[in-house]
Amino acid sequence: DTSYTYQLLNKGDGEEAAAPIVKPTATPKVSVQEAETVYDFCWYPFSYSSMPGSSVFICSTRDHPIHLWDAESCSLRATYRAYDHNDEISSAFSVAFSPDGQRIYGGYNGMIRMFDISVPGRDCTNYTTVTQKGNIRFIPRNMQLKGIVSSFSFTPDGTILAAGSYGGNVGLYDSAGGLEPIAMLYDAHPNGVSQVLFSADGNHLYTGGRKDDFIHCWDIRNTMQVVFSIPRPVSNNQRVAFSIDHTGRYLTSGLQDGRVQIFDLYSQGTSVSCDSAHDDVVNAASFHPFMHLLATSSGQRHFDSESSDSSDEESDNAMAQQRDYAVAIWKASIPIQS
């Protein structure tokens, strides 16, 4: 229920960053306290620390509206509220900015809501992803995206929006034409889609899921086919986030054994690097937008066993080693160097 912002470094023109970038004792620059569990967050696409007022991000939490936070002053800029049929607050399970930064998209159960960033409050446009009784928006049966909308991704030109759902499917929508459905990827990940991400050229879509062993690459010009699949085992419902570097060639993902792996997308997802990074699940790995840096985060939910040897010193030490809740910054080359 807390969002942290870390400052990487003050980098001068032409200055080469040295590893390690962030020491293990680094403290958050900003800490934003939410009232409930954080579902999702997204940075403003034109956020730059050198531009006052642009460092903002949106955050969605359980039983609360979408909040727009100022990362410099740690203040709440705006609130975007969605209400259900009982006129009660409806929480967004996923959030995203449009590429131009003018609109906010929220993923709900069987619905996508769009807010104008300049109009806080409850005014929004509702786009159902399934045909609902009493709703004038008709969705053909073969174009219905059922379940909670779990993730978003836009093509670089902003014309197509991909939305994944915990129902296991992925929908492609015309973002300039009232979010009319274009195509549907059925059973992309039967146990639920946890992330969708377009390639740098917008021709391919990468998807990952819960309890799934692969990241799939789809050619959206032939959406019924998987071009290739990248092995990335996930044995539970935890979201394990991946990212693509600014060149569009490399994809990185964390693994549940504490390693970080980098794949070459130009050679059908061949692994080019796999290194140990944490003592727990690496739940996210993200390339810097333009620098050769890689951020990773680790941790998962642990349940204490009430065994008679719980006081044993060796058991306590083993448990402490497995519980690694951390954010790390790495000098990202191929292969990755810490």
Coordinates of all heavy atoms in Angstrom, one line a residue, residues 209-242:
G209 N 1.6 -14.6 -18.7 CA 0.4 -15.0 -17.9 C 0.7 -15.6 -16.6 O 1.9 -15.9 -16.3
R210 N -0.3 -15.8 -15.8 CA -0.2 -16.5 -14.5 C -0.1 -18.0 -14.7 O -0.8 -18.5 -15.6 CB -1.4 -16.1 -13.6 CG -1.6 -14.6 -13.5 CD -2.7 -14.3 -12.5 NE -4.0 -14.8 -12.8 CZ -5.1 -14.5 -12.1 NH1 -5.0 -13.7 -11.1 NH2 -6.2 -15.0 -12.5
K211 N 0.7 -18.6 -13.9 CA 0.8 -20.1 -14.0 C 1.0 -20.5 -15.4 O 0.4 -21.4 -15.9 CB -0.4 -20.8 -13.4 CG -0.6 -20.6 -11.9 CD -1.8 -21.4 -11.4 CE -2.0 -21.2 -9.9 NZ -3.1 -22.0 -9.4
D212 N 2.0 -19.9 -16.0 CA 2.3 -20.1 -17.4 C 3.8 -20.2 -17.6 O 4.5 -19.4 -17.0 CB 1.7 -19.0 -18.3 CG 1.5 -19.5 -19.8 OD1 2.5 -19.7 -20.4 OD2 0.3 -19.6 -20.2
D213 N 4.2 -21.0 -18.5 CA 5.7 -21.3 -18.7 C 6.3 -20.5 -19.8 O 7.5 -20.6 -20.1 CB 5.9 -22.8 -19.0 CG 5.6 -23.6 -17.8 OD1 5.7 -23.1 -16.6 OD2 5.4 -24.8 -17.9
F214 N 5.5 -19.6 -20.5 CA 6.0 -18.9 -21.7 C 5.5 -17.5 -21.8 O 4.5 -17.2 -21.3 CB 5.6 -19.7 -23.0 CG 6.2 -21.1 -23.1 CD1 5.4 -22.2 -22.7 CD2 7.4 -21.3 -23.6 CE1 5.9 -23.5 -22.8 CE2 7.9 -22.6 -23.7 CZ 7.1 -23.7 -23.3
I215 N 6.4 -16.7 -22.4 CA 6.0 -15.4 -23.0 C 5.8 -15.6 -24.5 O 6.7 -16.1 -25.2 CB 7.1 -14.3 -22.7 CG1 7.2 -14.1 -21.2 CG2 6.7 -13.0 -23.4 CD1 8.4 -13.2 -20.9
H216 N 4.6 -15.2 -25.0 CA 4.3 -15.5 -26.4 C 4.5 -14.2 -27.2 O 4.2 -13.1 -26.7 CB 2.8 -15.9 -26.6 CG 2.5 -17.2 -25.9 ND1 3.3 -18.3 -26.1 CD2 1.5 -17.7 -25.2 CE1 2.8 -19.4 -25.4 NE2 1.7 -19.0 -24.9
C217 N 5.0 -14.4 -28.4 CA 5.1 -13.3 -29.4 C 4.1 -13.5 -30.5 O 4.1 -14.5 -31.1 CB 6.5 -13.2 -30.0 SG 6.7 -12.1 -31.3
W218 N 3.2 -12.5 -30.6 CA 2.2 -12.5 -31.7 C 2.5 -11.5 -32.7 O 2.9 -10.3 -32.4 CB 0.8 -12.2 -31.0 CG 0.4 -13.0 -29.8 CD1 0.9 -12.9 -28.6 CD2 -0.5 -14.1 -29.8 NE1 0.3 -13.8 -27.7 CE2 -0.5 -14.6 -28.5 CE3 -1.2 -14.8 -30.8 CZ2 -1.3 -15.7 -28.1 CZ3 -2.0 -15.8 -30.4 CH2 -2.1 -16.3 -29.1
D219 N 2.2 -11.8 -34.0 CA 2.3 -10.9 -35.1 C 0.9 -10.3 -35.2 O 0.0 -11.1 -35.7 CB 2.8 -11.6 -36.3 CG 3.1 -10.6 -37.5 OD1 2.4 -9.5 -37.5 OD2 3.9 -10.9 -38.3
I220 N 0.7 -9.1 -34.9 CA -0.7 -8.5 -35.0 C -1.2 -8.4 -36.4 O -2.4 -8.1 -36.6 CB -0.8 -7.2 -34.2 CG1 0.0 -6.1 -34.9 CG2 -0.4 -7.4 -32.8 CD1 -0.3 -4.7 -34.4
R221 N -0.4 -8.6 -37.4 CA -0.8 -8.6 -38.8 C -1.4 -10.0 -39.1 O -2.0 -10.2 -40.2 CB 0.3 -8.3 -39.7 CG 0.8 -6.9 -39.5 CD 2.2 -6.7 -40.1 NE 3.2 -7.5 -39.5 CZ 4.5 -7.5 -39.8 NH1 4.9 -6.6 -40.8 NH2 5.4 -8.2 -39.2
N222 N -1.2 -11.0 -38.2 CA -1.8 -12.3 -38.4 C -2.1 -12.8 -37.0 O -1.3 -13.7 -36.5 CB -0.8 -13.2 -39.1 CG -1.4 -14.6 -39.4 OD1 -2.6 -14.8 -39.2 ND2 -0.6 -15.6 -39.7
T223 N -3.1 -12.3 -36.4 CA -3.3 -12.4 -34.9 C -3.6 -13.8 -34.4 O -3.7 -14.0 -33.2 CB -4.3 -11.4 -34.5 OG1 -5.5 -11.6 -35.2 CG2 -3.9 -10.0 -34.7
M224 N -3.9 -14.7 -35.3 CA -4.3 -16.1 -34.8 C -3.0 -16.9 -34.6 O -3.1 -18.1 -34.2 CB -5.2 -16.7 -35.8 CG -6.5 -15.9 -36.1 SD -7.3 -15.4 -34.6 CE -7.9 -17.0 -34.0
Q225 N -1.8 -16.4 -34.9 CA -0.6 -17.2 -34.8 C 0.4 -16.7 -33.8 O 0.5 -15.5 -33.7 CB 0.1 -17.2 -36.2 CG -0.8 -17.8 -37.3 CD -1.0 -19.3 -37.1 OE1 -0.2 -20.0 -36.6 NE2 -2.2 -19.8 -37.6
V226 N 1.0 -17.6 -33.1 CA 2.1 -17.3 -32.2 C 3.4 -17.4 -33.0 O 3.7 -18.5 -33.6 CB 2.2 -18.2 -31.0 CG1 3.4 -17.9 -30.2 CG2 0.9 -18.0 -30.1
V227 N 4.2 -16.3 -33.1 CA 5.4 -16.4 -33.9 C 6.4 -17.3 -33.2 O 7.0 -18.1 -33.8 CB 6.0 -15.0 -34.2 CG1 7.2 -15.0 -35.0 CG2 4.9 -14.1 -34.8
F228 N 6.7 -17.0 -32.0 CA 7.6 -17.9 -31.2 C 7.2 -17.6 -29.7 O 6.5 -16.7 -29.3 CB 9.0 -17.6 -31.4 CG 9.5 -16.1 -31.1 CD1 9.9 -15.8 -29.8 CD2 9.5 -15.2 -32.1 CE1 10.3 -14.5 -29.6 CE2 9.9 -13.9 -31.9 CZ 10.3 -13.5 -30.6
S229 N 7.7 -18.5 -28.9 CA 7.4 -18.5 -27.4 C 8.8 -18.5 -26.7 O 9.7 -19.2 -27.0 CB 6.6 -19.6 -27.0 OG 5.3 -19.6 -27.6
I230 N 8.8 -17.7 -25.6 CA 10.1 -17.6 -24.8 C 9.8 -18.3 -23.5 O 8.9 -18.0 -22.8 CB 10.4 -16.1 -24.6 CG1 10.7 -15.4 -25.9 CG2 11.6 -16.0 -23.6 CD1 10.8 -13.9 -25.7
P231 N 10.6 -19.3 -23.1 CA 10.5 -20.0 -21.9 C 10.7 -19.0 -20.7 O 11.7 -18.4 -20.5 CB 11.5 -21.1 -21.9 CG 12.0 -21.2 -23.3 CD 11.8 -19.8 -23.9
R232 N 9.6 -18.9 -19.8 CA 9.7 -18.1 -18.6 C 8.7 -18.7 -17.6 O 7.6 -18.2 -17.5 CB 9.4 -16.7 -19.0 CG 9.8 -15.6 -18.0 CD 8.8 -15.4 -16.8 NE 7.4 -15.2 -17.2 CZ 6.8 -14.0 -17.3 NH1 7.5 -12.9 -17.0 NH2 5.5 -13.9 -17.7
P233 N 9.1 -19.7 -16.9 CA 8.1 -20.4 -16.0 C 7.6 -19.5 -14.9 O 8.4 -18.9 -14.2 CB 9.0 -21.6 -15.4 CG 10.1 -21.7 -16.4 CD 10.4 -20.4 -16.9
V234 N 6.3 -19.5 -14.7 CA 5.7 -18.9 -13.5 C 4.7 -19.9 -12.9 O 3.8 -20.4 -13.6 CB 4.9 -17.6 -13.9 CG1 4.2 -17.0 -12.7 CG2 5.8 -16.6 -14.5
S235 N 4.9 -20.3 -11.7 CA 4.2 -21.4 -11.1 C 3.0 -21.0 -10.2 O 2.3 -21.8 -9.7 CB 5.2 -22.3 -10.2 OG 5.7 -21.5 -9.2
N236 N 2.8 -19.7 -10.1 CA 1.7 -19.2 -9.2 C 1.0 -18.0 -9.9 O 1.2 -17.7 -11.1 CB 2.2 -18.8 -7.8 CG 3.3 -17.8 -7.9 OD1 3.5 -17.0 -8.8 ND2 4.2 -17.9 -6.9
N237 N 0.2 -17.3 -9.2 CA -0.6 -16.2 -9.7 C 0.1 -14.9 -9.6 O -0.5 -13.8 -10.0 CB -1.9 -16.1 -9.0 CG -2.9 -17.2 -9.4 OD1 -2.9 -17.7 -10.5 ND2 -3.8 -17.6 -8.5
Q238 N 1.4 -14.9 -9.2 CA 2.1 -13.6 -9.1 C 2.4 -13.0 -10.5 O 2.7 -13.7 -11.4 CB 3.4 -13.8 -8.3 CG 4.2 -12.5 -8.1 CD 5.4 -12.8 -7.2 OE1 5.9 -13.9 -7.1 NE2 5.9 -11.8 -6.6
R239 N 2.3 -11.7 -10.6 CA 2.6 -11.0 -11.8 C 4.1 -10.9 -11.9 O 4.7 -10.2 -11.0 CB 1.9 -9.7 -11.9 CG 2.3 -8.9 -13.1 CD 1.7 -7.5 -13.2 NE 0.3 -7.6 -13.3 CZ -0.5 -6.5 -13.3 NH1 0.0 -5.3 -13.3 NH2 -1.8 -6.6 -13.4
V240 N 4.8 -11.4 -12.9 CA 6.2 -11.3 -13.1 C 6.4 -10.4 -14.4 O 6.1 -10.9 -15.5 CB 6.9 -12.6 -13.3 CG1 8.4 -12.5 -13.5 CG2 6.7 -13.5 -12.0
A241 N 6.8 -9.2 -14.2 CA 6.8 -8.2 -15.3 C 8.1 -8.3 -16.1 O 9.2 -8.6 -15.6 CB 6.6 -6.8 -14.7
F242 N 7.9 -8.1 -17.4 CA 9.1 -8.1 -18.3 C 9.1 -6.8 -19.1 O 8.1 -6.0 -19.1 CB 9.0 -9.3 -19.3 CG 7.8 -9.3 -20.1 CD1 7.6 -8.7 -21.3 CD2 6.7 -10.1 -19.7 CE1 6.5 -8.7 -22.1 CE2 5.5 -10.2 -20.4 CZ 5.4 -9.5 -21.6

